[in-house]
Amino acid sequence: MFRRAFWFTTGAAAGVWATAKVQRKLRSLAPDALAVRAADKAVQGGHRLKDFALDVRAGMAQREGELNDALGLGATPDPYEADASRALPTQASRPQLGSVQHRQGPGRSHDRNEDH
């Protein structure tokens, strides 16, 4: 009698466990659950990619410093500091906006519609 009750409860427990496991698996394969899981994986991948890019950038800066030290260049030049070869033209060297002479004959006025 106890033997039958033992096997009955063991079978019932196994059936409940298997049913719960199957139900969990079905819920995890539902379209909503798959979309949430895919979104989470995409976010995790983005974070990993960002961390990788930051590591690469830090490694590049470190290596650039090592190369500058090895070549004796010292500090890197400021990209916003213009030198003589890349300097912008000064006010005196730029042509004035009003200095352009129109080629008009004597006594003719300029008509804008003639240009178009």
Side-chain angles (χ1 to χ4, degrees):
M1 177 84 134
F2 288 111
R3 197 174 189 182
R4 287 183 188 171
F6 170 77
W7 288 114
F8 177 76
T9 51
T10 303
V16 168
W17 175 79
T19 303
K21 189 165 178 95
V22 167
Q23 289 297 325
R24 256 185 284 148
K25 189 64 170 177
L26 287 175
R27 270 185 260 134
S28 72
L29 294 175
D32 295 340
L34 290 175
V36 168
R37 195 169 21 181
D40 288 343
K41 292 289 184 181
V43 168
Q44 288 174 357
H47 287 305
R48 277 191 244 128
L49 186 61
K50 184 182 96 174
D51 291 342
F52 174 72
L54 291 174
D55 288 345
V56 167
R57 190 172 288 175
M60 285 172 39
Q62 178 184 359
R63 183 63 179 150
E64 184 178 4
E66 292 171 359
L67 290 173
N68 284 338
D69 289 343
L71 295 173
L73 296 177
T76 59
D78 185 11
Y80 297 107
E81 184 180 307
D83 58 1
S85 65
R86 295 187 305 166
L88 295 175
T90 62
Q91 184 70 22
S93 66
R94 278 190 256 159
Q96 296 299 320
L97 293 178
S99 66
V100 177
Q101 299 294 326
H102 293 288
R103 295 187 181 177
Q104 298 178 10
R108 289 187 62 202
S109 64
H110 181 69
D111 186 8
R112 288 182 175 247
N113 292 330
E114 289 178 352
D115 293 339
H116 300 290

